[in-house]
CSV table of all heavy atoms in Angstrom, one decimal:
chain,number,residue,atom,x,y,z
H,261,ALA,N,-48.7,97.0,-22.7
H,261,ALA,CA,-48.6,96.5,-24.2
H,261,ALA,C,-49.8,95.8,-24.6
H,261,ALA,O,-50.2,96.0,-25.8
H,261,ALA,CB,-47.3,95.5,-24.2
H,262,SER,N,-50.4,95.1,-23.7
H,262,SER,CA,-51.6,94.4,-24.1
H,262,SER,C,-52.7,95.4,-24.3
H,262,SER,O,-53.6,95.2,-25.3
H,262,SER,CB,-52.1,93.4,-23.0
H,262,SER,OG,-52.4,94.1,-21.8
H,263,SER,N,-52.8,96.5,-23.6
H,263,SER,CA,-53.8,97.6,-23.8
H,263,SER,C,-53.7,98.2,-25.2
H,263,SER,O,-54.6,98.5,-26.0
H,263,SER,CB,-53.7,98.5,-22.6
H,263,SER,OG,-54.0,97.9,-21.4
H,264,GLY,N,-52.5,98.5,-25.5
H,264,GLY,CA,-52.2,99.3,-26.8
H,264,GLY,C,-52.6,98.4,-28.0
H,264,GLY,O,-53.1,98.8,-29.0
H,265,ALA,N,-52.2,97.1,-27.9
H,265,ALA,CA,-52.5,96.1,-28.9
H,265,ALA,C,-54.0,96.0,-29.1
H,265,ALA,O,-54.6,96.0,-30.2
H,265,ALA,CB,-51.9,94.8,-28.6
H,266,GLY,N,-54.9,96.1,-28.0
H,266,GLY,CA,-56.3,96.0,-28.2
H,266,GLY,C,-56.8,97.3,-28.8
H,266,GLY,O,-57.8,97.2,-29.6
H,267,ALA,N,-56.3,98.3,-28.6
H,267,ALA,CA,-56.8,99.6,-29.2
H,267,ALA,C,-56.5,99.6,-30.7
H,267,ALA,O,-57.3,100.0,-31.5
H,267,ALA,CB,-56.1,100.8,-28.5
H,268,GLN,N,-55.4,99.1,-31.1
H,268,GLN,CA,-55.0,99.0,-32.5
H,268,GLN,C,-55.9,98.1,-33.3
H,268,GLN,O,-56.4,98.3,-34.3
H,268,GLN,CB,-53.6,98.7,-32.7
H,268,GLN,CG,-52.6,99.7,-32.3
H,268,GLN,CD,-51.2,99.4,-32.5
H,268,GLN,OE1,-50.9,98.2,-32.9
H,268,GLN,NE2,-50.3,100.3,-32.3
H,269,MET,N,-56.2,96.9,-32.6
H,269,MET,CA,-57.1,95.9,-33.2
H,269,MET,C,-58.5,96.4,-33.4
H,269,MET,O,-59.2,96.1,-34.3
H,269,MET,CB,-57.1,94.6,-32.3
H,269,MET,CG,-55.8,94.0,-32.4
H,269,MET,SD,-55.5,93.1,-33.9
H,269,MET,CE,-56.8,91.9,-34.1
H,270,ALA,N,-59.0,97.4,-32.5
H,270,ALA,CA,-60.3,98.0,-32.6
H,270,ALA,C,-60.4,98.9,-33.7
H,270,ALA,O,-61.5,99.3,-34.0
H,270,ALA,CB,-60.7,98.5,-31.2
H,271,LYS,N,-59.3,99.5,-34.1
H,271,LYS,CA,-59.4,100.5,-35.2
H,271,LYS,C,-59.6,99.9,-36.5
H,271,LYS,O,-58.7,99.3,-37.0
H,271,LYS,CB,-58.1,101.3,-35.1
H,271,LYS,CG,-58.1,102.6,-35.9
H,271,LYS,CD,-56.8,103.4,-35.8
H,271,LYS,CE,-56.8,104.6,-36.6
H,271,LYS,NZ,-55.6,105.5,-36.5
H,272,PRO,N,-60.8,100.3,-37.2
H,272,PRO,CA,-61.0,99.6,-38.4
H,272,PRO,C,-60.2,100.1,-39.6
H,272,PRO,O,-59.8,101.2,-39.6
H,272,PRO,CB,-62.5,99.9,-38.6
H,272,PRO,CG,-62.7,101.2,-37.9
H,272,PRO,CD,-61.8,101.2,-36.8
H,273,GLY,N,-60.0,99.2,-40.5
H,273,GLY,CA,-59.2,99.6,-41.7
H,273,GLY,C,-57.9,99.7,-41.5
H,273,GLY,O,-57.2,100.0,-42.5
H,274,THR,N,-57.2,99.5,-40.3
H,274,THR,CA,-55.7,99.7,-40.2
H,274,THR,C,-55.2,98.4,-39.4
H,274,THR,O,-55.9,97.6,-38.8
H,274,THR,CB,-55.4,100.8,-39.4
H,274,THR,OG1,-56.1,100.7,-38.0
H,274,THR,CG2,-56.0,102.1,-40.1
H,275,ALA,N,-53.9,98.2,-39.7
H,275,ALA,CA,-53.2,97.1,-39.0
H,275,ALA,C,-52.0,97.7,-38.5
H,275,ALA,O,-51.2,98.5,-39.0
H,275,ALA,CB,-53.0,96.0,-39.9
H,276,PRO,N,-51.5,97.3,-37.3
H,276,PRO,CA,-50.4,97.7,-36.6
H,276,PRO,C,-49.2,97.4,-37.5
H,276,PRO,O,-49.1,96.2,-38.0
H,276,PRO,CB,-50.3,97.1,-35.2
H,276,PRO,CG,-51.2,95.9,-35.4
H,276,PRO,CD,-52.2,96.2,-36.4
H,277,ALA,N,-48.2,98.3,-37.6
H,277,ALA,CA,-46.9,98.0,-38.2
H,277,ALA,C,-46.1,97.0,-37.4
H,277,ALA,O,-46.1,97.1,-36.1
H,277,ALA,CB,-46.2,99.2,-38.5
H,278,ARG,N,-45.5,96.0,-38.1
H,278,ARG,CA,-44.6,95.0,-37.3
H,278,ARG,C,-43.3,95.0,-37.9
H,278,ARG,O,-43.0,95.3,-39.0
H,278,ARG,CB,-45.3,93.6,-37.5
H,278,ARG,CG,-46.7,93.6,-36.9
H,278,ARG,CD,-47.3,92.1,-37.0
H,278,ARG,NE,-48.7,92.1,-36.6
H,278,ARG,CZ,-49.0,91.9,-35.2
H,278,ARG,NH1,-48.1,91.8,-34.4
H,278,ARG,NH2,-50.3,92.0,-34.9
H,279,GLY,N,-42.3,94.5,-37.1
H,279,GLY,CA,-41.0,94.3,-37.5
H,279,GLY,C,-40.1,95.4,-36.9
H,279,GLY,O,-40.5,96.4,-36.3
H,280,PRO,N,-38.8,95.2,-37.1
H,280,PRO,CA,-37.9,96.2,-36.5
H,280,PRO,C,-37.8,97.5,-37.0
H,280,PRO,O,-37.5,98.5,-36.4
H,280,PRO,CB,-36.5,95.6,-36.8
H,280,PRO,CG,-36.8,94.7,-38.1
H,280,PRO,CD,-38.1,94.2,-37.9
H,281,ASP,N,-38.4,97.8,-38.2
H,281,ASP,CA,-38.5,99.1,-38.9
H,281,ASP,C,-39.8,99.8,-38.6
H,281,ASP,O,-40.1,100.9,-39.0
H,281,ASP,CB,-38.3,99.0,-40.4
H,281,ASP,CG,-37.1,98.5,-40.7
H,281,ASP,OD1,-36.1,98.6,-40.0
H,281,ASP,OD2,-36.9,97.8,-41.9
H,282,ALA,N,-40.7,99.2,-37.8
H,282,ALA,CA,-42.0,99.8,-37.5
H,282,ALA,C,-41.7,101.0,-36.6
H,282,ALA,O,-40.9,101.0,-35.7
H,282,ALA,CB,-42.9,98.8,-36.7
H,283,PRO,N,-42.4,102.2,-36.9
H,283,PRO,CA,-42.2,103.4,-36.1
H,283,PRO,C,-42.7,103.2,-34.7
H,283,PRO,O,-43.6,102.4,-34.4
H,283,PRO,CB,-43.1,104.4,-36.8
H,283,PRO,CG,-44.1,103.6,-37.5
H,283,PRO,CD,-43.5,102.4,-37.9
H,284,ARG,N,-42.0,103.8,-33.7
H,284,ARG,CA,-42.4,103.7,-32.3
H,284,ARG,C,-43.5,104.8,-32.0
H,284,ARG,O,-43.5,105.9,-32.6
H,284,ARG,CB,-41.2,104.1,-31.4
H,284,ARG,CG,-40.1,103.1,-31.4
H,284,ARG,CD,-39.0,103.4,-30.4
H,284,ARG,NE,-37.9,102.4,-30.4
H,284,ARG,CZ,-38.1,101.3,-29.7
H,284,ARG,NH1,-39.0,101.2,-28.8
H,284,ARG,NH2,-37.0,100.4,-29.7
H,285,GLU,N,-44.6,104.3,-31.3
H,285,GLU,CA,-45.6,105.2,-31.0
H,285,GLU,C,-45.4,105.9,-29.7
H,285,GLU,O,-44.6,105.5,-28.8
H,285,GLU,CB,-46.9,104.3,-30.8
H,285,GLU,CG,-47.3,103.7,-32.1
H,285,GLU,CD,-48.6,102.8,-31.9
H,285,GLU,OE1,-49.2,103.0,-30.8
H,285,GLU,OE2,-49.0,102.3,-32.9
Side-chain angles (χ1 to χ4, degrees):
S262 61
S263 300
Q268 290 179 356
M269 291 291 295
K271 188 176 182 179
T274 62
R278 300 178 182 278
D281 296 331
R284 294 183 178 271
E285 296 182 1

